[in-house]
Amino acid sequence: MKPHIVVLASGSGSNFQAILNAIDSGSLDASVSHLIASKPGIGAIQIASGARIPVSIMSARLCGSPAEFEKQLLQLLKDQNPALIVLAGWLLKIPSGVIQHFEGKIINIHPSLLPDYGGQGFYGIRVHQAVISDRRRISGCTVHLVTEEFDEGPVIARKQVPVYPEDSPETLATRVLEQEHQLLPATIQKLLHP
Ligand code: GRF
């Protein structure tokens, strides 16, 4: 039996799509049993529908309270019992009860070379704006284990990209995202099949 994973997403789902592409091409030996989205209407949900992957939409707001969100998310993940839980553009904090129960089994992709440009407030285009305003020559992306502090878990894999003087936050974001699409599926493969 192939190991199965659950993906959590809050946005366009391009990393989720990259995981599905890697499964289709055979470079990732796994299946995605469920997508958890943090809000309705996002691209990741459309991708899941196209691939006939079941979707749940949940957040503290949608569940009515942080405690109810934790309860429902924990129950869903226990029911799914995935080999790995993959945050692919997920923007909400994972409740601590979920992290404790699945310790070492939750990974996240972040668009910088952690520990630089990680933590509260460093998400999306803000990461690349900060890298450019600091005149860094190198940026990249990181896959790390999820712990209770934002972006602070142990680093599993990183990929560097150059930052050019003429870069805007958007051109840098595009270059980093291309590498995320390689790094995330390759890291999942290594974790599932060491
Ligand atoms: C990516 O840069 C990812 O690292 C970040 O969200 C961005 C968009 O992800 N956490 P996606 O296109 O929704 O996969």
Side-chain angles (χ1 to χ4, degrees), residues 49-165:
S49 310
R52 296 211 171 86
I53 293 168
V55 177
S56 297
I57 306 173
M58 54 174 76
S59 65
R61 186 187 295 187
L62 292 168
C63 294
S65 71
E68 190 57 28
F69 173 46
E70 174 167 324
K71 189 175 147 204
Q72 291 188 23
L73 182 60
L74 187 55
Q75 191 57 54
L76 175 62
L77 291 170
K78 281 182 181 172
D79 292 345
Q80 289 289 318
N81 191 26
L84 202 61
I85 297 162
V86 178
L87 311 189
W90 175 261
L91 291 176
L92 305 180
K93 196 147 191 163
I94 298 291
S96 52
V98 174
I99 293 175
Q100 282 158 19
H101 191 275
F102 290 98
E103 202 186 340
K105 279 177 98 176
I106 311 176
I107 64 169
N108 180 46
I109 179 104
H110 184 80
S112 76
L113 294 175
L114 289 175
D116 293 347
Y117 306 101
Q120 195 89 39
F122 279 122
Y123 59 88
I125 206 72
R126 292 171 186 223
V127 173
H128 308 295
Q129 280 164 346
V131 168
I132 286 175
S133 73
D134 289 350
R135 299 176 192 277
R136 292 291 181 104
R137 295 288 179 81
I138 293 174
S139 190
C141 49
T142 303
V143 177
H144 66 96
L145 276 182
V146 173
T147 58
E148 301 215 20
E149 303 308 319
F150 259 124
D151 302 327
E152 284 189 10
V155 168
I156 302 169
R158 298 198 298 179
K159 185 79 199 273
Q160 293 188 350
V161 305
V163 183
Y164 300 121

Side-chain angles (χ1 to χ4, degrees), residues 11-16 88-90 109-111 177 180:
S12 68
S14 71
N15 278 293
F16 174 40
W90 175 261
I109 179 104
H110 184 80
L177 193 58
E180 293 182 45

